[in-house]
Structures are given as C-alpha cells and as structure tokens.
Amino acid sequence: MRLSKEFTNGFIIFLGISIYFLFINSIGFGDKVYLRLFNTIFVLYGVNRTISMNITEGKKNFVSNAISAMKTSLIGVFLSVFWLLIYSYLKGGDSYVESLSKTFLFTGNPSIVTYCICLLFEGIASSVLVTMLLMLYWNDRHISD
C-alpha cells in the first residue's frame, strides 16, 4: 500500500516538529515562545515538498495544488496536536501543561484539552498562511493550466 504524498509529507512535518519539541524540552528551553516559532520551518518544508512533487508530476493547477498543500499541513498539525495531547498526559497531565510557556496564548492555568484546542486553531491558521504564501511563490514560477 502506497501512502499519499500529502500524508507522507504531513508525517514529515509531524516528525520534524516532534523531534524539535523534544530537543528544546530536553535542553531546558521548552518554555521559550520564540523557539516554538521555528515549528513553521517544518510546515514550510513539508508543504513546499508536496507542491514541488505535484509540479514534478505535471500537476500545475492552482486549486488542486492548494488543496493538496492544505491537506499536507493539516495532517501535520493534527498529528502534532494529537501527539502533544498524549505526551502531556504521559508527562503528568495538567501540571505538565502549566510548565509549558506561560505567555503563549493563555493567562491562568489551561487544561490539556484547552491548550491543545488553542494550538489546533493556531496550527490551522498557520497552515492556511503557509499554504497561501507557498502557492503564491510557486504560482510566480509556473504558469497554471
């Protein structure tokens, strides 16, 4: 069974974010908001890879490439948030979430579910942004059908 390029590249996004998250937590910088912004690099890489694979295959239609790119980024976001939910419960539940960045989206003490839902919305918004930026980038380089 061959996996779709959207799932494969979404999984690459998930792996990149997960390994990076585990790395910055292991060196003690997991609470730094500015380091979490680098997650965008992994989303950019995976979505760009999907679009370039589509173009290599001869698929140059803007809308179908945009849908493919959006699927890729959303798969990466959903897998990452789901893994964070599981990881948070394994690390101690709500007390672990309190140890994460205090200034990131919240005031007070969010629950794991609240934290993950907010990260899901943020991830979806960044997926739309990354997809549109890369579609505009590729649209200038290749003429659509």
Short mmCIF file of all heavy atoms in Angstrom, two decimals, residues 10-11 13-14 17 43 70-84 116 119-128:
data_model
loop_
_atom_site.label_atom_id
_atom_site.label_comp_id
_atom_site.label_asym_id
_atom_site.label_seq_id
_atom_site.Cartn_x
_atom_site.Cartn_y
_atom_site.Cartn_z
N GLY A 10 2.97 15.28 5.43
CA GLY A 10 2.38 15.67 6.71
C GLY A 10 3.05 14.94 7.87
O GLY A 10 3.28 15.51 8.93
N PHE A 11 3.39 13.68 7.64
CA PHE A 11 4.09 12.91 8.66
C PHE A 11 5.51 13.45 8.86
O PHE A 11 6.02 13.47 9.99
CB PHE A 11 4.12 11.42 8.29
CG PHE A 11 4.56 10.54 9.41
CD1 PHE A 11 3.71 10.27 10.47
CD2 PHE A 11 5.82 9.99 9.42
CE1 PHE A 11 4.12 9.47 11.53
CE2 PHE A 11 6.25 9.18 10.46
CZ PHE A 11 5.38 8.92 11.52
N ILE A 13 6.31 16.58 8.53
CA ILE A 13 6.08 17.78 9.35
C ILE A 13 5.94 17.38 10.80
O ILE A 13 6.57 17.97 11.69
CB ILE A 13 4.83 18.54 8.87
CG1 ILE A 13 5.04 19.15 7.49
CG2 ILE A 13 4.42 19.62 9.88
CD1 ILE A 13 3.78 19.70 6.85
N PHE A 14 5.12 16.38 11.06
CA PHE A 14 4.91 15.89 12.42
C PHE A 14 6.22 15.42 13.07
O PHE A 14 6.52 15.77 14.22
CB PHE A 14 3.89 14.75 12.40
CG PHE A 14 3.92 13.86 13.60
CD1 PHE A 14 3.53 14.32 14.84
CD2 PHE A 14 4.35 12.55 13.48
CE1 PHE A 14 3.57 13.49 15.95
CE2 PHE A 14 4.38 11.71 14.58
CZ PHE A 14 3.99 12.19 15.82
N ILE A 17 8.50 18.52 13.83
CA ILE A 17 8.00 19.28 14.99
C ILE A 17 8.21 18.48 16.27
O ILE A 17 8.64 19.04 17.29
CB ILE A 17 6.51 19.65 14.79
CG1 ILE A 17 6.38 20.71 13.71
CG2 ILE A 17 5.89 20.14 16.09
CD1 ILE A 17 4.95 21.01 13.30
N VAL A 43 6.69 23.08 8.75
CA VAL A 43 5.48 23.16 7.95
C VAL A 43 5.82 23.68 6.55
O VAL A 43 5.34 23.15 5.54
CB VAL A 43 4.42 24.05 8.63
CG1 VAL A 43 3.17 24.17 7.78
CG2 VAL A 43 4.06 23.50 10.02
N MET A 70 -2.78 22.16 1.49
CA MET A 70 -3.54 22.35 2.72
C MET A 70 -3.73 21.02 3.45
O MET A 70 -3.61 20.96 4.68
CB MET A 70 -4.90 22.99 2.38
CG MET A 70 -5.62 23.51 3.55
SD MET A 70 -4.68 24.87 4.23
CE MET A 70 -5.75 25.31 5.53
N LYS A 71 -4.01 19.95 2.70
CA LYS A 71 -4.12 18.62 3.31
C LYS A 71 -2.82 18.26 4.03
O LYS A 71 -2.83 17.73 5.14
CB LYS A 71 -4.42 17.56 2.25
CG LYS A 71 -5.82 17.51 1.78
CD LYS A 71 -5.94 16.37 0.76
CE LYS A 71 -7.23 16.40 0.01
NZ LYS A 71 -7.28 15.34 -1.02
N THR A 72 -1.70 18.52 3.37
CA THR A 72 -0.40 18.20 3.95
C THR A 72 -0.19 18.91 5.27
O THR A 72 0.17 18.29 6.27
CB THR A 72 0.74 18.59 2.97
OG1 THR A 72 0.57 17.88 1.75
CG2 THR A 72 2.10 18.29 3.56
N SER A 73 -0.42 20.21 5.29
CA SER A 73 -0.17 20.97 6.51
C SER A 73 -1.15 20.59 7.61
O SER A 73 -0.78 20.50 8.79
CB SER A 73 -0.21 22.47 6.23
OG SER A 73 -1.45 22.86 5.72
N LEU A 74 -2.40 20.32 7.25
CA LEU A 74 -3.38 19.95 8.28
C LEU A 74 -3.09 18.57 8.86
O LEU A 74 -3.28 18.36 10.06
CB LEU A 74 -4.79 20.00 7.70
CG LEU A 74 -5.34 21.40 7.44
CD1 LEU A 74 -6.71 21.33 6.79
CD2 LEU A 74 -5.39 22.22 8.72
N ILE A 75 -2.62 17.65 8.04
CA ILE A 75 -2.22 16.34 8.57
C ILE A 75 -1.09 16.51 9.58
O ILE A 75 -1.12 15.92 10.67
CB ILE A 75 -1.82 15.38 7.43
CG1 ILE A 75 -3.07 14.96 6.66
CG2 ILE A 75 -1.06 14.17 7.95
CD1 ILE A 75 -2.79 14.22 5.36
N GLY A 76 -0.10 17.33 9.23
CA GLY A 76 1.00 17.60 10.16
C GLY A 76 0.53 18.24 11.45
O GLY A 76 0.96 17.86 12.54
N VAL A 77 -0.38 19.18 11.35
CA VAL A 77 -0.90 19.87 12.54
C VAL A 77 -1.71 18.91 13.41
O VAL A 77 -1.50 18.85 14.63
CB VAL A 77 -1.75 21.10 12.15
CG1 VAL A 77 -2.55 21.63 13.32
CG2 VAL A 77 -0.87 22.20 11.58
N PHE A 78 -2.62 18.16 12.80
CA PHE A 78 -3.45 17.24 13.59
C PHE A 78 -2.61 16.17 14.28
O PHE A 78 -2.83 15.86 15.45
CB PHE A 78 -4.53 16.59 12.73
CG PHE A 78 -5.70 17.49 12.46
CD1 PHE A 78 -5.96 17.95 11.19
CD2 PHE A 78 -6.54 17.90 13.49
CE1 PHE A 78 -7.04 18.79 10.93
CE2 PHE A 78 -7.62 18.74 13.26
CZ PHE A 78 -7.88 19.19 11.98
N LEU A 79 -1.65 15.60 13.56
CA LEU A 79 -0.77 14.60 14.19
C LEU A 79 0.03 15.20 15.33
O LEU A 79 0.19 14.58 16.39
CB LEU A 79 0.17 13.99 13.14
CG LEU A 79 -0.45 13.02 12.14
CD1 LEU A 79 0.58 12.63 11.09
CD2 LEU A 79 -1.01 11.79 12.82
N SER A 80 0.54 16.42 15.14
CA SER A 80 1.34 17.07 16.17
C SER A 80 0.53 17.39 17.42
O SER A 80 0.99 17.16 18.55
CB SER A 80 1.97 18.36 15.62
OG SER A 80 2.83 18.08 14.56
N VAL A 81 -0.67 17.91 17.23
CA VAL A 81 -1.50 18.25 18.39
C VAL A 81 -1.96 16.97 19.10
O VAL A 81 -1.97 16.92 20.34
CB VAL A 81 -2.71 19.12 17.96
CG1 VAL A 81 -3.70 19.29 19.10
CG2 VAL A 81 -2.21 20.49 17.50
N PHE A 82 -2.29 15.95 18.34
CA PHE A 82 -2.69 14.68 18.95
C PHE A 82 -1.54 14.09 19.77
O PHE A 82 -1.73 13.62 20.88
CB PHE A 82 -3.15 13.69 17.88
CG PHE A 82 -3.64 12.39 18.43
CD1 PHE A 82 -4.83 12.32 19.13
CD2 PHE A 82 -2.91 11.23 18.24
CE1 PHE A 82 -5.28 11.12 19.65
CE2 PHE A 82 -3.35 10.02 18.75
CZ PHE A 82 -4.54 9.96 19.47
N TRP A 83 -0.33 14.14 19.22
CA TRP A 83 0.83 13.64 19.95
C TRP A 83 1.10 14.48 21.20
O TRP A 83 1.44 13.94 22.25
CB TRP A 83 2.07 13.59 19.07
CG TRP A 83 3.31 13.28 19.85
CD1 TRP A 83 4.36 14.10 20.07
CD2 TRP A 83 3.60 12.08 20.57
NE1 TRP A 83 5.29 13.49 20.86
CE2 TRP A 83 4.84 12.23 21.20
CE3 TRP A 83 2.91 10.88 20.75
CZ2 TRP A 83 5.42 11.25 21.98
CZ3 TRP A 83 3.50 9.90 21.52
CH2 TRP A 83 4.74 10.08 22.12
N LEU A 84 0.94 15.80 21.11
CA LEU A 84 1.12 16.65 22.28
C LEU A 84 0.12 16.29 23.37
O LEU A 84 0.47 16.28 24.55
CB LEU A 84 1.00 18.12 21.92
CG LEU A 84 1.17 19.10 23.09
CD1 LEU A 84 2.57 19.00 23.68
CD2 LEU A 84 0.87 20.51 22.65
N CYS A 116 -4.48 22.18 23.88
CA CYS A 116 -4.40 21.51 22.58
C CYS A 116 -5.39 22.10 21.58
O CYS A 116 -5.06 22.23 20.39
CB CYS A 116 -4.63 20.01 22.74
SG CYS A 116 -3.23 19.18 23.52
N LEU A 119 -3.87 25.31 20.38
CA LEU A 119 -2.78 25.02 19.45
C LEU A 119 -3.31 24.50 18.12
O LEU A 119 -2.73 24.78 17.07
CB LEU A 119 -1.81 24.02 20.06
CG LEU A 119 -0.89 24.56 21.14
CD1 LEU A 119 -0.02 23.44 21.69
CD2 LEU A 119 -0.04 25.68 20.62
N LEU A 120 -4.42 23.78 18.15
CA LEU A 120 -5.02 23.31 16.92
C LEU A 120 -5.51 24.48 16.07
O LEU A 120 -5.24 24.54 14.87
CB LEU A 120 -6.17 22.36 17.22
CG LEU A 120 -6.89 21.75 16.02
CD1 LEU A 120 -5.94 20.83 15.26
CD2 LEU A 120 -8.10 20.98 16.49
N PHE A 121 -6.19 25.43 16.70
CA PHE A 121 -6.65 26.62 15.96
C PHE A 121 -5.48 27.43 15.42
O PHE A 121 -5.50 27.91 14.30
CB PHE A 121 -7.56 27.50 16.82
CG PHE A 121 -8.93 26.93 17.02
CD1 PHE A 121 -9.46 26.81 18.29
CD2 PHE A 121 -9.68 26.51 15.94
CE1 PHE A 121 -10.72 26.29 18.48
CE2 PHE A 121 -10.95 25.99 16.12
CZ PHE A 121 -11.48 25.87 17.39
N GLU A 122 -4.45 27.59 16.23
CA GLU A 122 -3.26 28.31 15.79
C GLU A 122 -2.58 27.57 14.64
O GLU A 122 -2.13 28.17 13.67
CB GLU A 122 -2.29 28.48 16.96
CG GLU A 122 -1.08 29.29 16.61
CD GLU A 122 0.22 28.61 16.93
OE1 GLU A 122 0.22 27.62 17.69
OE2 GLU A 122 1.24 29.04 16.38
N GLY A 123 -2.53 26.25 14.74
CA GLY A 123 -1.93 25.45 13.67
C GLY A 123 -2.71 25.52 12.37
O GLY A 123 -2.14 25.58 11.29
N ILE A 124 -4.04 25.52 12.48
CA ILE A 124 -4.86 25.64 11.28
C ILE A 124 -4.65 27.00 10.62
O ILE A 124 -4.51 27.09 9.40
CB ILE A 124 -6.35 25.40 11.62
CG1 ILE A 124 -6.57 23.93 11.98
CG2 ILE A 124 -7.26 25.80 10.46
CD1 ILE A 124 -7.93 23.62 12.57
N ALA A 125 -4.61 28.04 11.43
CA ALA A 125 -4.38 29.38 10.89
C ALA A 125 -3.01 29.47 10.22
O ALA A 125 -2.88 30.04 9.12
CB ALA A 125 -4.49 30.43 12.00
N SER A 126 -2.00 28.91 10.85
CA SER A 126 -0.67 28.97 10.23
C SER A 126 -0.62 28.09 8.99
O SER A 126 0.11 28.40 8.04
CB SER A 126 0.42 28.57 11.23
OG SER A 126 0.33 27.20 11.56
N SER A 127 -1.39 27.01 8.95
CA SER A 127 -1.45 26.16 7.75
C SER A 127 -2.01 26.93 6.57
O SER A 127 -1.50 26.83 5.45
CB SER A 127 -2.31 24.93 8.01
OG SER A 127 -1.71 24.09 8.95
N VAL A 128 -3.07 27.68 6.81
CA VAL A 128 -3.66 28.48 5.75
C VAL A 128 -2.65 29.51 5.25
O VAL A 128 -2.46 29.69 4.05
CB VAL A 128 -4.96 29.17 6.23
CG1 VAL A 128 -5.45 30.19 5.22
CG2 VAL A 128 -6.03 28.13 6.52
#
